[in-house]
Amino acid sequence: MFDNLSYKLDRAFKTLKGTGKITEINVATTVKEIRRALIDADVNYKVAKEVTDTIKSEALGRDVLISVSPGQLLVKITQEELTKLMGGTKEDISLKGDPNVILISGLQGSGKTTFSGKLATHLKKQGRQVLLVACDIYRPAAIEQLKTLGEQIGVEVYAEPENKNALDIANRAIEYAKKNGKKNVIVDTAGRLAVDEQMMNEISDLKKHLDPAETLFVVDSMTGQDAVNTAKTFDERLDFDGVVLTKLDGDTRGGAAISIRHVVDKPIKFISTGEKMENLDIFYPDRMAQRILG
Ligand code: GDP
């Protein structure tokens, strides 16, 4: 994860090694390299500029302690600023309502169904009763995929394969959950390969009528700047509560993880790092910043 970015940042900090103090000139060079590394990693240009401007003024404003080299100080400041950029502290999903409904949105292939299974596993481990709902009415294979996942993790799946009305299915699933003591209902919805009006209408309609405690937007981190743009489009229509970044185990350059919070102003709540049901992590901005810096 982020190997290339970590390497380039490390190289940028090394340009400061050996110099005894922070000066405008040597900081400017390093900061320029940090900016280039971030842009190469697909971080939005404006975000990269803003964060590096802050790093620069922070560095120039701080006294270097005898025990800390300018390079170490810049690493520390960069870590602090990346942490802030990614939201500062972790944010939990809200679990309220009877039942507590969690709506999962995102493009096709982003990892919605896989994430739904992972979230169900996560909640089940906390001793909660969960019902998964298959609302991907266009792809019979998606319903089968969710059923298979449900069997694998021991979580019941509600599906009506013949029904083509997602809201209808979700409403009946909620009734079913109430009758059967399932306090948490995860609704997996249909995605498309790209944003389209029908999908947006369908998912906004589900949100309006189901009034979920939590609406999550799932996005493939490998798609870089596109991930951020798609998040913006979904948020304008859905006003979702949090982001799930998937496929961070792959060859992602990191840009989405770094810029999504700043551009969309919604927290990343989970990250997914593999296809196995256990590969779900709560997102901690400080740990991610540490990982980025290698
Ligand atoms: P959906 O169309 O949004 O429901 O997406 P799926 O859940 O079907 O996922 C699409 C593909 O991505 C599947 O092959 C998943 O196994 C894979 N996938 C999902 N999440 C991850 C992840 O975090 N890492 C990796 N490597 N693959 C993932």
Side-chain angles (χ1 to χ4, degrees):
M1 193 197 295
F2 309 149
D3 286 351
N4 206 20
L5 175 60
S6 305
Y7 168 75
K8 284 187 183 161
L9 287 174
D10 188 47
R11 212 176 49 187
F13 297 128
K14 284 205 170 100
T15 58
L16 266 178
K17 276 204 177 126
T19 52
K21 62 180 175 108
I22 294 254
T23 67
E24 189 114 20
I25 294 167
N26 62 20
V27 166
T29 313
T30 308
V31 162
K32 224 164 142 181
E33 283 189 40
I34 297 173
R35 186 180 302 171
R36 198 172 307 139
L38 291 173
I39 291 167
D40 284 352
D42 247 351
V43 173
N44 176 287
Y45 174 80
K46 258 175 71 189
V47 177
K49 177 157 181 2
E50 266 179 60
V51 74
T52 46
D53 283 349
T54 312
I55 292 170
K56 188 172 166 188
S57 60
E58 279 286 315
L60 292 173
R62 284 195 207 182
D63 283 334
V64 184
L65 301 171
I66 309 236
S67 56
V68 179
S69 71
Q72 283 169 325
L73 179 69
L74 220 66
V75 171
K76 187 169 177 290
I77 293 171
T78 305
Q79 190 172 325
E80 287 166 7
E81 293 309 317
L82 285 179
T83 303
K84 271 194 226 158
L85 189 63
M86 292 187 285
T89 48
K90 80 161 168 103
E91 290 206 31
D92 294 324
I93 53 168
S94 59
L95 298 170
K96 54 174 191 266
D98 190 12
N100 156 53
V101 177
I102 304 171
L103 185 63
I104 311 297
S105 67
L107 292 180
Q108 188 179 316
S110 59
K112 281 185 308 300
T113 305
T114 309
F115 170 73
S116 299
K118 289 180 180 196
L119 183 61
T121 308
H122 178 76
L123 296 174
K124 191 180 167 208
K125 271 192 204 149
Q126 296 174 338
R128 301 176 196 275
Q129 291 291 327
V130 185
L131 180 70
L132 280 163
V133 185
C135 274
D136 190 341
I137 47 178
Y138 302 104
R139 290 192 313 133
I143 301 177
E144 282 313 308
Q145 187 190 349
L146 196 65
K147 281 188 177 164
T148 310
L149 274 180
E151 264 166 42
Q152 187 191 326
I153 60 179
V155 169
E156 195 175 346
V157 175
Y158 186 94
E160 296 183 13
E162 302 307 321
N163 192 341
K164 295 288 172 215
N165 184 328
L167 184 58
D168 223 35
I169 302 170
N171 275 329
R172 264 200 295 275
I174 290 169
E175 282 312 309
Y176 180 86
K178 280 182 184 160
K179 278 194 201 122
N180 291 278
K182 309 278 186 190
K183 295 271 186 211
N184 300 277
V185 176
I186 301 173
V187 182
D188 183 22
T189 63
R192 299 279 198 286
L193 289 174
V195 172
D196 84 11
E197 202 45 33
Q198 194 191 1
M199 169 184 67
M200 282 300 181
N201 286 338
E202 212 168 84
I203 185 88
S204 354
D205 227 35
L206 278 171
K207 178 161 186 231
K208 198 166 106 198
H209 291 99
L210 300 180
D211 190 22
E214 186 80 26
T215 301
L216 293 172
F217 168 70
V218 180
V219 67
D220 178 345
S221 66
M222 309 252 280
T223 58
Q225 303 238 16
D226 273 351
V228 181
N229 296 334
T230 312
K232 251 177 110 173
T233 311
F234 267 77
D235 195 45
E236 277 156 17
R237 288 294 295 274
L238 265 191
D239 188 20
F240 55 69
D241 302 297
V243 177
V244 179
L245 265 187
T246 63
K247 309 188 193 179
L248 274 168
D249 52 312
D251 193 15
T252 174
R253 290 193 280 177
I258 297 169
S259 33
I260 217 162
R261 170 65 193 250
H262 190 71
V263 175
V264 186
D265 198 24
K266 290 289 164 67
I268 300 173
K269 295 196 172 176
F270 292 103
I271 55 172
S272 169
T273 53
E275 296 176 80
K276 292 207 186 83
M277 287 297 105
E278 291 73 35
N279 298 133
L280 177 74
D281 283 313
I282 291 167
F283 182 75
Y284 290 91
D286 53 343
R287 289 186 201 168
M288 187 56 81
Q290 238 165 39
R291 246 155 135 168
I292 290 167
L293 292 177

